Amino acid sequence: MLEAALIAQVIFWLVVLGVFLASGQASLLHPSTVYLVFHGLVFVVRPLLVHFLDFNSIWTYIGFQPDESAMIKTLAVTSVALAVFVGVNLFAGRVLNVFPPGQPDSLSPLQSKALVITGCLLLPLMAFSIIRTASGHAGGERAANGIYIMTTSTGYINDAQFMVAPLLCAWLLMTRFHWLNALPVTIYVGYRTWCGLSRFTIITFLLAIVMSYCWYHRKKWPPLTAILAAIPVLMLFNTLGHNREYLQNYFKGYGASALQLDAGLSRFEKFRARTDTQDFANYDYLTFILALVPERTHTYTYGVQYLQLFTEPIPRILWRGKPAGAPVETFDISAYGNFIGLTFSLPGDGWCSGGWIGLVITMAIVGGVLGTFHRWFWNHINNPMAAMFYISAMAMILQWYRDGGISISKFIMWNWLPLFIWMGVTWLLGERFLPGNTIILRPGDKLRLIEHKS
């Protein structure tokens, strides 16, 4: 039965992919493109590896061994999630997605000047964030439910460095992707690699660059060079997953010895050791969640996890007793197994909210919101600022699909904040209407407007 379900999972994904491509809406800039890639990796390829190549490191880590019916149920849940999301997303985002002829509007001199000023204003905060993180002053600890909380600093300082990415993308548009921009891009990626933490920022940053390039050059799909460049990026992502301090150790002379950790293993064992990791194992996590909720938890979350949107912005240094995670907790998933560092995924978050009903509602809402955003983008296709807001969000929604919950709001905040500041500085520098003299008219008075021509 399981093998038949795995085959059906592959066929269903291909059918949905075919419908998406035939819809006339498909492009790299569509939210469903990212979700189809995510679903294909974690809910199609990963189950095949788990079953046929005995990828079981996640089961060992959690302390859980599913039976065949649990795995089949996970395949069914993810297929329903895929159908609902793509269907609603296509319906809500339907638009004439045809690039107008010619290049998009370039940044005006006023926008360019405002971008430089914005960068100068934010540079001290971003530099302080980088220095403080690198010096080890951004410490924290794990709460009882496995959530990492900061104890010696605040996220408003530690994460301010993430504003570098959207500013660099805007700079690329302003300079029309001049080849000299390879230097600051390399420096930023090198720093993120050296830091090791928040590996996803490397992928989201480079994906934002590719999307920006496609928008600027009127391409719906990335060039072959960008696809080929994704291979070493994924290899780097996997390497940092095994050793977050890989680059630091390499410069300290430990790189060669680190590469020999798998010495003595067969070729297949080396392959499994490098690929059977937590990077794309949402299928495993979701199988564990579905086995617990609601059979062992005896309840759902009913969406109360989203109340964290109101408590998360309050710095812990101002609220010592701030809950670790959602302020209202109906159950603790970590009480049933080792779930530290693992994620629910968007389908898993929907299931925890209310089973099949919660799954459908969550996927429909997210699909509808992102579809409406997609339609707005194409209706403002020539506006560089609108493009930057949309692209910076699309580049990081992979993390929303992977994590579920409210974590996406924190990433969007740091990617949109410099764009809002840039927009505000542009408004301040530009021409605008200001209140002048006030004239009070009595009832019955008439006002005549006269055009004066010199």
Side-chain angles (χ1 to χ4, degrees):
M1 285 293 295
L2 179 57
E3 292 186 1
L6 289 169
I7 295 173
Q9 182 86 338
V10 175
I11 294 174
F12 187 74
W13 179 76
L14 291 174
V15 169
V16 175
L17 176 62
V19 171
F20 175 63
L21 295 176
S23 68
Q25 301 292 306
S27 73
L28 176 66
L29 301 170
H30 199 288
S32 286
T33 301
V34 182
Y35 191 83
L36 280 162
V37 173
F38 165 76
H39 181 95
L41 285 174
V42 304
F43 296 136
V44 177
V45 175
R46 176 70 188 188
L48 294 173
L49 296 176
V50 168
H51 178 66
F52 291 106
L53 298 185
D54 195 26
F55 277 27
N56 57 14
S57 67
I58 304 302
W59 309 134
T60 303
Y61 177 83
I62 297 176
F64 164 74
Q65 185 60 49
D67 56 22
E68 186 172 290
S69 62
M71 296 182 182
I72 294 175
K73 181 179 180 180
T74 306
L75 297 176
V77 167
T78 56
S79 292
V80 171
L82 174 67
V84 173
F85 177 86
V86 174
V88 175
N89 193 233
L90 283 175
F91 179 80
R94 63 194 186 282
V95 69
L96 182 63
N97 58 344
V98 178
F99 283 113
Q103 292 289 331
D105 297 338
S106 300
L107 295 185
S108 66
L110 182 64
Q111 290 174 324
S112 299
K113 182 179 179 180
L115 179 60
V116 173
I117 294 175
T118 301
C120 293
L121 289 174
L122 295 177
L123 182 60
L125 177 58
M126 294 185 295
F128 179 71
S129 172
I130 293 173
I131 293 173
R132 187 171 180 82
T133 302
S135 61
H137 287 92
E141 60 185 22
R142 292 282 180 186
N145 57 2
I147 296 177
Y148 185 82
I149 58 176
M150 298 174 186
T151 56
T152 60
S153 185
T154 174
Y156 289 101
I157 294 177
N158 299 345
D159 296 345
Q161 56 191 282
F162 296 152
M163 293 189 292
V164 173
L167 288 174
L168 270 179
C169 287
W171 179 266
L172 290 174
L173 291 182
M174 187 181 78
T175 57
R176 301 181 180 183
F177 291 89
H178 194 280
W179 65 271
L180 286 176
N181 288 304
L183 179 60
V185 169
T186 303
I187 292 175
Y188 180 71
V189 173
Y191 161 70
R192 297 306 318 165
T193 304
W194 178 85
C195 181
L197 301 175
S198 301
R199 294 174 298 152
F200 257 98
T201 56
I202 299 175
I203 292 181
T204 55
F205 173 55
L206 296 178
L207 182 57
I209 291 178
V210 174
M211 288 182 170
S212 300
Y213 179 89
C214 290
W215 172 81
Y216 183 79
H217 291 282
R218 302 311 208 204
K219 298 178 181 293
K220 286 190 175 182
W221 299 104
L224 179 60
T225 53
I227 298 175
L228 294 177
I231 298 175
V233 173
L234 292 175
M235 293 175 62
L236 173 63
F237 183 82
N238 181 267
T239 299
L240 292 177
H242 289 282
N243 182 5
R244 300 301 178 108
E245 299 179 349
Y246 175 81
L247 190 59
Q248 299 180 39
N249 291 336
Y250 181 84
F251 283 111
K252 293 176 182 178
Y254 303 147
S257 59
L259 292 176
Q260 301 301 318
L261 292 177
D262 56 5
L265 300 178
S266 66
R267 182 175 299 179
F268 172 73
E269 289 171 336
K270 290 180 180 179
F271 165 77
R272 188 164 61 180
R274 293 181 180 277
T275 54
D276 185 11
T277 65
Q278 297 178 3
D279 293 336
F280 305 102
N282 278 105
Y283 167 77
D284 310 56
Y285 312 157
L286 185 55
T287 302
F288 175 63
I289 292 169
L290 296 180
L292 299 179
V293 183
E295 281 74 14
R296 296 185 62 186
T297 61
H298 305 294
T299 185
Y300 296 106
T301 64
Y302 303 105
V304 297
Q305 66 268 31
Y306 290 97
L307 293 176
Q308 191 177 350
L309 284 169
F310 303 99
T311 59
E312 190 71 11
I314 304 175
R316 191 170 295 276
I317 58 176
L318 300 180
W319 182 9
R320 293 295 181 181
K322 188 174 80 168
V328 179
E329 190 175 62
T330 57
F331 61 82
D332 179 11
I333 199 75
S334 298
Y336 302 92
N338 182 17
F339 208 72
I340 295 177
L342 310 185
T343 58
F344 283 77
S345 78
L346 196 59
D349 191 68
W351 181 271
C352 288
S353 294
W356 289 104
I357 296 176
L359 173 74
V360 172
I361 292 176
T362 299
M363 301 307 295
I365 290 176
V366 175
V369 169
L370 293 180
T372 303
F373 195 18
H374 174 261
R375 188 170 67 247
W376 173 87
F377 165 69
W378 280 99
N379 289 334
H380 300 81
I381 192 61
N382 275 330
N383 187 324
M385 282 191 174
M388 287 309 306
F389 273 99
Y390 181 79
I391 288 172
S392 61
M394 287 302 104
M396 69 181 69
I397 59 170
L398 174 62
Q399 192 137 1
W400 194 7
Y401 301 154
R402 175 181 177 264
D403 292 355
I406 62 98
S407 65
I408 187 64
S409 61
K410 293 183 283 187
F411 296 107
I412 284 184
M413 180 189 73
W414 288 116
N415 279 265
W416 278 5
L417 180 60
L419 301 181
F420 277 120
I421 295 176
W422 177 29
M423 188 168 58
V425 173
T426 303
W427 179 82
L428 288 174
L429 296 178
E431 296 180 354
R432 56 196 180 276
F433 291 106
L434 297 174
N437 294 329
T438 301
I439 302 176
I440 301 177
L441 300 178
R442 295 187 300 273
D445 289 349
K446 295 181 179 180
L447 179 66
R448 177 179 295 177
L449 300 178
I450 300 175
E451 182 180 2
H452 174 72
K453 294 182 178 180
S454 57

